[in-house]
Amino acid sequence: MRLIAHLSDLHFGRTDPQVVQALLTDITRNRPDLIIVSGDLTQRARSHQFTEARQFLDQLPAPSLVVPGNHDLEPLYRPLQRIFRPRAKFAAHLPDHDERPVWQDEAIVAVGLDSTRHLRWKSGKLRSSHLEHVDQVLASTPATACRVAFLHHPPSTAKAGHPFDSLAERGIDLVLAGHVHHAHVALIAAGHHRSCVLVQASTACSTRLREDANGYALIRITMPALTVEVRGWSGAAFHTVHRHGFHKVAGLWHHD
Ligand SMILES: [Fe+2]
Ligand SMILES: [Fe+2]
């Protein structure tokens, strides 16, 4: 069994300190093997916000993998930095976090994809180079391992022709995303022969709330099955909001 804690949209610079502390406590209590953060670590990509995000990551009780979100690129009102060095601060403050993060052990492989675009503010994109990278990583993955891709932008923000289905076609089992600050768990079908599970997390600890309270996901993987536990902030502590079970038969994922 592997336990992944999936967090997104921390937005340091706009966080609630009580929620940040409770989040660390709740994650630590659940003892994940791996923590995946799918972008928007900061509110405006300012150095002090990255410093806070870094301090948060340093307190996590397991290795963390991180991809940037649109808020982690230099903002549009700093146009020169935005055009020429959009991810410079992200890289400077998280030097030990790879530009193309990959985790591989005998039970899971997790591939991080940077879906941000420096000439766009909100929309993201999966490029053919992302898919080639996924293919390269999966080529050396045991057939029984759970294959995870994580990126900031979820399929609901995709323009026509976005190859999100391609992740399932390539054998990805689980896609982790954020950006819209709305917790959502669903199956993504790619034709009749492939599907994968989408886990979209709410904002973990920021006050930029939309429909949902603060939250994150705990994903327990025992192939060919996995459960997704959505944890949410009650105002006093994190608690279980939903539990979803899935199992895989002949390349297709199904709800339990
Ligand atoms: Fe966000
Ligand atoms: Fe975002």
Side-chain angles (χ1 to χ4, degrees):
M1 201 274 275
R2 292 286 186 278
L3 176 58
I4 297 176
H6 169 223
L7 286 66
S8 201
D9 298 80
L10 311 175
H11 285 291
F12 280 96
R14 280 282 299 275
T15 51
D16 178 334
Q18 187 191 4
V19 178
V20 173
Q21 198 50 53
L23 180 65
L24 281 169
T25 302
D26 201 65
I27 295 169
T28 303
R29 189 179 292 143
N30 281 289
R31 303 176 61 176
D33 299 295
L34 181 66
I35 295 160
I36 289 180
V37 184
S38 55
D40 280 0
L41 281 78
T42 66
Q43 176 61 16
R44 282 281 177 263
R46 294 190 175 280
S47 291
H48 68 91
Q49 295 170 355
F50 275 117
T51 300
E52 276 189 71
R54 175 75 217 206
Q55 287 167 350
F56 175 85
L57 296 176
D58 287 346
Q59 293 177 73
L60 290 172
S64 60
L65 299 180
V66 178
V67 286
N70 51 311
H71 281 256
D72 300 322
L73 271 54
E74 289 286 348
L76 295 172
Y77 59 77
R78 295 201 286 271
L80 289 180
Q81 290 97 320
R82 175 77 179 200
I83 291 170
F84 295 111
R85 305 182 71 222
R87 297 169 185 81
K89 278 200 202 124
F90 184 91
H93 286 85
L94 306 171
D96 50 348
H97 285 77
D98 204 294
E99 203 175 306
R100 291 181 153 189
V102 174
W103 176 272
Q104 250 176 325
D105 65 30
E106 67 276 14
I108 51 174
V109 55
V111 189
L113 305 171
D114 178 355
S115 59
T116 59
R117 296 198 286 172
H118 71 283
L119 296 178
R120 296 280 185 277
W121 174 235
K122 281 190 172 173
S123 64
K125 186 166 187 168
L126 271 184
R127 301 173 191 84
S128 52
S129 59
H130 287 130
L131 299 175
E132 286 161 16
H133 177 54
V134 168
D135 287 342
Q136 280 172 7
V137 173
L138 295 189
S140 58
T141 300
T144 52
C146 182
R147 299 154 179 234
V148 184
F150 60 100
L151 69 170
H152 184 57
H153 295 85
S156 60
T157 64
K159 301 269 187 294
H162 251 50
F164 278 94
D165 291 358
S166 303
L167 293 173
E169 285 166 9
R170 281 170 157 74
I172 291 290
D173 295 300
L174 178 63
V175 175
L176 309 178
H179 182 57
V180 288
H181 298 201
H182 171 48
H184 177 59
V185 180
L187 286 173
I188 301 176
H192 298 296
H193 304 293
R194 289 281 190 184
S195 63
C196 64
V197 177
L198 168 70
V199 177
Q200 187 181 290
S202 176
T203 169
C205 53
S206 86
T207 56
R208 294 172 52 92
L209 298 170
R210 295 180 191 146
E211 296 169 46
D212 293 324
N214 291 120
Y216 74 104
L218 290 171
I219 303 154
R220 292 176 176 81
I221 298 169
T222 312
M223 289 298 278
L226 62 86
T227 63
V228 182
E229 177 183 348
V230 177
R231 304 280 290 168
W233 175 244
S234 69
F238 280 89
H239 65 111
T240 302
V241 180
H242 294 292
R243 250 184 243 275
H244 306 261
F246 299 92
H247 60 278
K248 186 180 186 183
V249 179
L252 271 178
W253 283 92
H254 303 268
H255 270 286
D256 289 348

